Amino acid sequence: MSTQQHPGVALITGASSGIGATYAKQLAARGYDLILVARDKARLIALAETLTQRYHTQAQVFPADLTQESDLQRVEALLQHNADITLLLNNAGMSVEGSFLSTDTAQVQNMLALNVVAPTRLAQAAGRAFQARDNGTIINIASVVALMHERFNGAYNATKSFLLMLTRAMQTELAGSKVRIQAVLPGLTRTEIFDRAGMSVTAIPAEMLMEVDTLVEAALAGLAQGELVTIPTLENYGLWQEYDQARSAMLPFLSLSQSASRYRQQ
Ligand SMILES: NC(=O)c1ccc[n+]([C@@H]2O[C@H](COP(=O)([O-])OP(=O)(O)OC[C@H]3O[C@@H](n4cnc5c(N)ncnc54)[C@H](OP(=O)(O)O)[C@@H]3O)[C@@H](O)[C@H]2O)c1
């Protein structure tokens, strides 16, 4: 439970490296206690020890493979029953190399389990628990590729569009409450995700690659400023607002009894 002095416990998925490990550090610096979730127990223990020493935080490790039903259920149960948890960072994710049609089907399936099924289940568990307490924050790590179909792997991009849509729908559903839901859309960020997918981070032009500390600092600043969708690279936020307004402008015309005149017989 959070108090004025203590913001509560943050449960972070994918906490063993990259963006998740960096959130762990920056949230510990802001006074959060932590539950660190990922598969690599040794790395989680090493991170927990470092953060405990540096920030005097309570950091619990919770090894889990979020593509496995039994492990996913254990994390859901934590979110349901541990009332000290005030923040869920839905961050664990993977990418795949190459185009959609050339990607191994089993890898795509695994990616859907990790990038779509797991964050959906955890967002639902946390959303219900936070709604009941009328308090709590969910951060969903999507990606700028949620807004792109021109580049990279279509299935990966689609997992991130899914998370953006889910976030926005949950924001509407919880609008009257004190529960906060933020979508973060990072651009290319220097982490292990590229190596893990068999790609090389050195192939990315330096001006297109953000350092992970910069990314997380910006994302937490966006959260503090009350943003619902944070795009850390985007200088002109009005571009996102215009895009979203164009989407809203279509809403009254999307479900009607009549087809558009161009489809009717002349
Ligand atoms: N880096 C970028 O350019 C970028 C851009 C936009 C969005 N993102 C998103 O940011 C998120 C974090 O990625 P990252 O860049 O920080 O990559 P990363 O360094 O590879 O971190 C991925 C994290 O997910 C965990 N993970 C992987 N498979 C898992 C599984 N089956 N069960 C539980 N945890 C698992 C990994 O830990 P274990 O191996 O220990 O399980 C690791 O902690 C992802 O959702 C990614 O899509 C990244």
Side-chain angles (χ1 to χ4, degrees):
M1 202 167 295
S2 70
T3 62
Q4 271 193 327
Q5 298 77 35
H6 195 274
V9 177
L11 187 148
I12 299 176
T13 71
S16 62
S17 70
I19 294 172
T22 307
Y23 263 101
K25 186 178 72 176
Q26 295 199 19
L27 289 172
R30 286 162 171 77
Y32 278 90
D33 288 327
L34 304 167
I35 299 176
L36 306 173
V37 181
R39 292 167 303 179
D40 191 329
K41 186 177 176 186
R43 285 182 93 177
L44 292 179
I45 290 173
L47 179 65
E49 284 174 359
T50 305
L51 297 180
T52 302
Q53 275 177 15
R54 200 181 298 167
Y55 301 106
H56 308 291
T57 187
Q58 306 266 341
Q60 180 191 337
V61 303
F62 200 90
D65 181 341
L66 295 173
T67 65
Q68 299 301 310
E69 177 62 27
S70 55
D71 281 7
L72 188 53
Q73 282 181 13
R74 288 194 302 121
V75 184
E76 279 177 323
L78 254 187
L79 290 164
Q80 279 156 12
H81 302 304
N82 184 341
D84 292 332
I85 298 173
T86 55
L87 188 150
L88 165 66
L89 177 70
N90 244 334
N91 162 76
M94 61 176 283
S95 184
V96 287
E97 199 221 344
S99 67
F100 171 56
L101 296 181
S102 67
T103 314
D104 176 64
T105 305
Q107 256 193 308
V108 173
Q109 178 82 14
N110 201 39
M111 178 173 70
L112 294 178
L114 183 63
N115 292 15
V116 174
V117 177
T120 303
R121 295 265 299 270
L122 299 183
Q124 193 181 42
R128 286 173 176 162
F130 293 169
Q131 184 181 41
R133 300 199 285 275
D134 197 21
N135 181 41
T137 301
I138 299 173
I139 304 170
N140 289 326
I141 303 296
S143 164
V144 292
V145 301
L147 306 174
M148 280 183 207
H149 51 261
E150 295 89 346
R151 297 198 204 144
F152 311 116
N153 183 289
Y156 175 73
N157 296 8
T159 67
K160 296 302 175 178
S161 295
F162 177 94
L163 216 45
L164 177 58
M165 171 68 90
L166 180 70
T167 307
R168 304 216 67 204
M170 287 184 76
Q171 287 164 351
T172 305
E173 196 172 338
L174 291 164
S177 79
K178 293 197 184 109
V179 181
R180 297 270 327 271
I181 324 237
Q182 180 199 30
V184 176
L185 279 57
L188 294 165
T189 308
R190 191 192 304 279
T191 69
E192 294 172 18
I193 199 167
F194 305 99
D195 285 344
R196 289 179 194 250
M199 300 181 266
S200 171
V201 77
T202 53
I204 301 170
E207 68 276 12
M208 292 183 72
L209 188 66
M210 190 174 275
E211 297 301 328
V212 69
D213 270 304
T214 310
L215 182 266
V216 173
E217 209 173 286
L220 285 173
L223 182 72
Q225 288 166 25
E227 276 184 2
L228 299 180
V229 177
T230 294
I231 309 175
T233 48
L234 190 66
E235 182 60 37
N236 181 359
Y237 197 71
L239 289 174
W240 159 256
Q241 289 165 323
E242 280 170 31
Y243 172 89
D244 199 38
Q245 277 156 15
R247 186 196 60 80
S248 296
M250 284 194 291
L251 293 183
F253 313 111
L254 294 181
S255 201
L256 298 170
S257 58
Q258 277 204 341
S259 60
S261 60
R262 68 185 175 282
Y263 304 124
R264 288 183 231 139
Q265 289 198 330
Q266 305 300 326

